[in-house]
Amino acid sequence: MNKSLALVGNPNAGKTSLFNILTGTRQYVGNWPGVTVEKKEGLIKKLPEYVLVDLPGIYSLSAQSLEEQLAVTYLLKESPHTLINIVDASNLERNLYLSVQLLEMGLPSVICLNMMDIAKDRGLQIDIPALAKILGAVVVPMVARKANGHDKLIDLLREGVQNATLTVPYPTEVEAAIRDLDTLLASSPWNFRTSRRWLALMWLEGNETVEEILRHQLPAELIQQMEAVRAAYPAAIEHRIRNARYDFIEKIICEVTQQSQNPAGRTWSDRIDSLLLHPVLGIPIFLGFMYLIFQITFSWIGTSLSDQLDEWISGPLTDWLKAGLTAMSSPDWFTQLMTDGVLAGVGSVLVFLPQIGILFFCLSFLEDSGYMARAAVLMDRFMSMIGLNGKAFIPLILGFGCNVPAIMATRTLEDPKSRLITALISPFMSCSARLSVYSLFVAAFFKHGGAAVVFTLYVTGIVVAILTAFLLKKFVHAEEGTFLLEIPPYRAPMLKSLFLHTWDKAKGFVRKAGTIIFGMSVLIWFLGHFSWHGFAPIEHSWLAAIGGLIAPLFAPLGFATWQAGVSLVTGFLAKEVVVSTMSIVYGAGDDGKLGDLLHHTFTQPVALAFLFFVLLYTPCVSTVVMMWRETGSSKWTLISVGYSVAIAWVVAFVVYHISQLIF
């Protein structure tokens, strides 16, 4: 049986980077809380007998948020063989609070002092031998982001790590309570792997997760005696425990660190922040960055690359496929299926891969540089107006990639009602799947000003999300809470990391093209060529009948065709399928480029109305299922689905009639 190693640390301390180095995997790495919201496991390449478990980032073992509860429950119930505590050396004082709590558990522990390069740049010198001596644990300096220092960690794990022996001195009355509880716990039949002193401290602090486990494991009579011990001491005993730990940490900092004088008083990072986080200029600068990204994606670079790929797929690749099938004496119906169905459906989506890759590359650049965490701080003021705080903006940013992890990231919010509201508004953030639809219509109808159209769509999604949250505030009274977010230092993004992030996100798009879109293309082709009377023209097929049923609903929006209707229906499975469906029903395989064919039924106002409808209407089925799972409410999930369709219809209606006055 494999031995388990628990990777524990503060958010943004570099846990996932170290996890990826040790296991050889490529889990998503971000520089804000919420990247890891559930534990991940992987085998260590150089120590295959060990399983490394990456736990969500936590600041302490107080177990207030879902991620803290998950981490504490794992540490107590799973009893990992060794704790690997990763610590941000540039924020040593704050990180040591969790380290002290972990060392007090008495389990085999090793401390990885990460980000030594940033600490050095800030003029912070750390006496590592002295730190190891005080903490009673091995300390390994490293720079996980650059894969420096992990070899020593591997050697230590191979040799075996000793149990931690740290004992923090507490006030006299606390020590007396610990002794009383220790005596009671010693009489328990339960075999404790963690230190009884640590359990006593958690009990005195009122740690709910620890209490629940102890109540389940220990006899009721013993629990009553433990409650009596806690009740006999002052109510503020948990504050005394906390203060004693901070005093201990302050003493450590004084003994092991030396800060060189900064002559300027302000770092270059502080100077940049004074501009990017300016209360007036901050938001316009953020919008300016986003607009620049859309210009690069849709005007300057992305569109030309997509056009070249489109010409290759619809030209040489189609010819090669037809020639190959002819050489194999393929029947006509199969040749049509492969060229007009599969290649037209899958190819029409894949042509937008360059634009999606460029968008993800730019967003990864902003994220790795440390700017996106600052965007959350900028949005805190607006989020507080709708009863949330800036921390809720982080899942919304993740929604630009995919709404499913965005809803999962709401677990980082402490208040359940805030989690509910954030989960319900996340689908309004324009995910990458919708990008293929935007790209298709922008290239066809808005060759000039396409970036502005897509920029407006993204901003509209944010505005609708905020307005919806404001509306939900009337029915769900969320507690705003205090927004505390660690601002990461500005860093020059590593090119390798940017390409890996881009590929990790883009490969999901490619995977969908080879699975869902491939399957749907085959199904749609058959539905479009058969009816109850056998083989039939597409206008009389099952597909036309399905689209025709709902087409009248879109008459006020300008796109009351069965082709548009059936595309929106299949888009419920995945938004990319909207494009592949259109490619098949408009006959792009035979009659030319899909963008040119759309001009037969769409005008600029109709195209705009269709884009806004796609932006806001029901998210894909995966998102709906995730919403149901995370909110635990069928009622709120159904309300969300119905509301999104209604708001999409209203907004598209308004856009259609206003744009008729413009174009």
Side-chain angles (χ1 to χ4, degrees):
M1 184 176 178
N2 294 101
K3 298 176 181 177
S4 59
L5 305 173
L7 187 56
V8 197
N10 284 187
N12 198 27
K15 287 187 301 84
T16 307
S17 294
L18 182 58
F19 180 87
N20 289 343
I21 294 168
L22 295 178
T23 62
T25 57
R26 292 210 302 265
Q27 296 290 343
Y28 175 62
V29 179
N31 53 20
W32 52 36
V35 171
T36 306
V37 292
E38 56 185 5
K39 65 183 175 71
K40 302 184 180 81
E41 296 183 356
L43 291 175
I44 298 181
K45 288 189 296 184
K46 296 182 179 179
L47 296 171
E49 67 273 27
Y50 285 94
V51 174
L52 185 62
V53 181
D54 184 14
L55 296 174
I58 53 177
Y59 289 105
S60 72
L61 298 179
S62 59
Q64 293 180 352
S65 66
L66 286 178
E67 52 200 346
E68 289 174 340
Q69 291 172 16
L70 189 152
V72 173
T73 301
Y74 174 82
L75 293 175
L76 282 174
K77 288 189 173 179
E78 303 296 330
S79 296
H81 183 268
T82 300
L83 301 183
I84 301 176
N85 175 211
I86 188 160
V87 170
D88 178 359
S90 63
N91 287 296
L92 188 59
E93 185 171 1
R94 177 177 52 70
N95 279 241
L96 279 181
Y97 191 87
L98 175 63
S99 302
V100 167
Q101 284 187 310
L102 291 171
L103 293 172
E104 285 182 311
M105 292 182 77
L107 297 173
S109 303
V110 57
I111 292 177
C112 298
L113 204 56
N114 191 28
M115 303 188 194
M116 290 296 292
D117 53 342
I118 296 175
K120 184 179 178 182
D121 291 343
R122 293 181 177 178
L124 182 65
Q125 297 180 358
I126 302 173
D127 186 341
I128 292 174
L131 179 63
K133 183 178 180 181
I134 295 173
L135 295 178
V138 180
V139 178
V140 180
M142 65 170 52
V143 182
R145 196 168 68 103
K146 299 179 180 177
N148 293 335
H150 67 285
D151 288 337
K152 185 178 178 182
L153 174 62
I154 293 289
D155 293 339
L156 280 171
L157 294 174
R158 186 177 287 118
E159 294 169 3
V161 179
Q162 300 299 316
N163 285 47
T165 56
L166 177 67
T167 302
V168 177
Y170 291 101
T172 305
E173 63 273 22
V174 176
E175 291 289 354
I178 293 172
R179 281 195 298 274
D180 292 343
L181 289 170
D182 183 71
T183 303
L184 292 172
L185 289 170
S187 66
S188 162
W190 190 31
N191 183 25
F192 303 103
R193 184 156 181 266
T194 60
S195 155
R196 292 199 302 270
R197 179 182 174 87
W198 178 81
L199 287 172
L201 284 165
M202 292 294 109
W203 181 265
L204 291 172
E205 289 186 276
N207 186 304
E208 293 180 0
T209 306
V210 174
E211 275 196 34
E212 183 182 343
I213 293 172
L214 290 180
R215 288 180 191 280
H216 182 71
Q217 295 288 343
L218 303 182
E221 183 180 349
L222 187 57
I223 291 295
Q224 290 178 356
Q225 293 174 322
M226 292 175 66
E227 287 176 339
V229 171
R230 185 166 56 187
Y233 288 90
I237 194 168
E238 68 272 18
H239 298 303
R240 297 189 184 191
I241 294 172
R242 197 176 307 138
N243 291 337
R245 288 200 188 107
Y246 280 123
D247 291 342
F248 181 70
I249 291 168
E250 186 178 354
K251 183 182 175 185
I252 294 175
I253 296 298
C254 291
E255 292 186 15
V256 307
T257 64
Q258 187 173 0
Q259 181 72 57
S260 62
Q261 191 68 27
N262 183 359
R266 298 176 68 202
T267 65
W268 63 272
S269 180
D270 294 333
R271 296 189 184 93
I272 296 175
D273 278 344
S274 65
L275 176 64
L276 298 185
L277 296 179
H278 191 277
V280 176
L281 299 176
I283 294 293
I285 292 174
F286 171 69
L287 294 176
F289 278 133
M290 297 306 293
Y291 184 76
L292 179 63
I293 287 174
F294 292 130
Q295 277 289 113
I296 295 172
T297 304
F298 295 99
S299 295
W300 296 341
I301 302 177
T303 300
S304 60
L305 292 177
S306 290
D307 287 344
Q308 292 177 29
L309 184 57
D310 188 18
E311 290 176 6
W312 181 75
I313 290 177
S314 59
L317 184 60
T318 302
D319 295 338
W320 294 339
L321 180 61
K322 285 181 178 177
L325 291 170
T326 302
M328 291 186 289
S329 302
S330 166
D332 290 342
W333 70 267
F334 188 74
T335 301
Q336 283 187 33
L337 169 64
M338 295 306 294
T339 54
D340 303 342
V342 174
L343 191 57
V346 176
S348 63
V349 175
L350 284 180
V351 296
F352 302 113
L353 183 61
Q355 290 173 318
I356 288 173
I358 290 171
L359 179 65
F360 281 143
F361 185 88
C362 294
L363 291 177
S364 296
F365 182 90
L366 290 183
E367 184 183 330
D368 284 9
S369 68
Y371 179 70
M372 290 302 263
R374 288 163 172 81
V377 175
L378 283 171
M379 294 304 294
D380 181 47
R381 186 162 36 126
F382 293 92
M383 300 302 285
S384 64
M385 294 168 61
I386 56 175
L388 301 173
N389 62 40
K391 196 173 183 179
F393 189 63
I394 293 172
L396 301 183
I397 292 177
L398 293 176
F400 285 142
C402 179
N403 293 151
V404 172
I407 293 175
M408 290 179 67
T410 59
R411 298 177 188 177
T412 59
L413 305 176
E414 288 81 7
D415 179 36
K417 294 178 179 176
S418 295
R419 284 201 293 273
L420 173 64
I421 293 177
T422 309
L424 293 176
I425 65 175
S426 292
F428 291 120
M429 307 307 288
S430 187
C431 67
S432 60
R434 297 175 173 109
L435 199 60
S436 55
V437 186
Y438 304 161
S439 300
L440 171 65
F441 279 81
V442 162
F445 296 95
F446 306 99
K447 292 188 183 298
H448 302 290
V453 171
V454 179
F455 177 73
T456 305
L457 287 168
Y458 273 75
V459 172
T460 302
I462 296 172
V463 171
V464 171
I466 291 174
L467 293 177
T468 302
F470 187 78
L471 179 65
L472 288 171
K473 184 182 175 183
K474 308 293 182 186
F475 304 97
V476 181
H477 301 288
E479 295 178 9
E480 184 178 333
T482 304
F483 178 43
L484 296 175
L485 176 67
E486 179 188 354
I487 299 293
Y490 287 108
R491 299 170 183 155
M494 299 173 65
L495 200 58
K496 179 183 176 183
S497 175
L498 290 178
F499 280 117
L500 286 177
H501 284 183
T502 301
W503 169 240
D504 284 343
K505 294 168 183 171
K507 73 180 179 184
F509 181 79
V510 176
R511 190 182 297 122
K512 272 189 183 178
T515 54
I516 296 175
I517 297 170
F518 179 90
M520 286 301 298
S521 297
V522 174
L523 177 62
I524 291 167
W525 187 88
F526 274 105
L527 290 175
H529 287 76
F530 287 88
S531 69
W532 296 113
H533 306 291
F535 194 81
I538 195 166
E539 295 81 7
H540 304 292
S541 64
W542 284 320
L543 203 61
I546 295 170
L549 285 176
I550 63 170
L553 296 175
F554 306 115
L557 313 183
F559 48 87
T561 62
W562 68 265
Q563 293 94 335
V566 78
S567 299
L568 294 172
V569 170
T570 57
F572 178 60
L573 292 176
K575 289 296 177 282
E576 300 95 329
V577 181
V578 172
V579 175
S580 60
T581 303
M582 284 190 156
S583 181
I584 295 170
V585 299
Y586 283 106
D590 279 340
D591 302 327
K593 287 186 176 182
L594 176 58
D596 297 334
L597 296 171
L598 290 176
H599 282 274
H600 297 311
T601 52
F602 283 83
T603 61
Q604 283 186 316
V606 177
L608 270 182
F610 188 81
L611 286 176
F612 277 88
F613 192 88
V614 170
L615 164 71
L616 300 173
Y617 91 116
T618 310
C620 68
V621 64
S622 301
T623 303
V624 173
V625 171
M626 183 55 65
M627 184 186 297
W628 171 74
R629 201 181 86 175
E630 291 297 313
T631 62
S633 169
S634 299
K635 182 187 77 173
W636 279 113
T637 303
L638 291 174
I639 289 174
S640 172
V641 170
Y643 174 80
S644 59
V645 173
I647 198 71
W649 195 95
V650 171
V651 171
F653 177 83
V654 173
V655 168
Y656 173 58
H657 287 278
I658 292 179
S659 57
Q660 277 187 310
L661 303 175
I662 300 173
F663 297 104

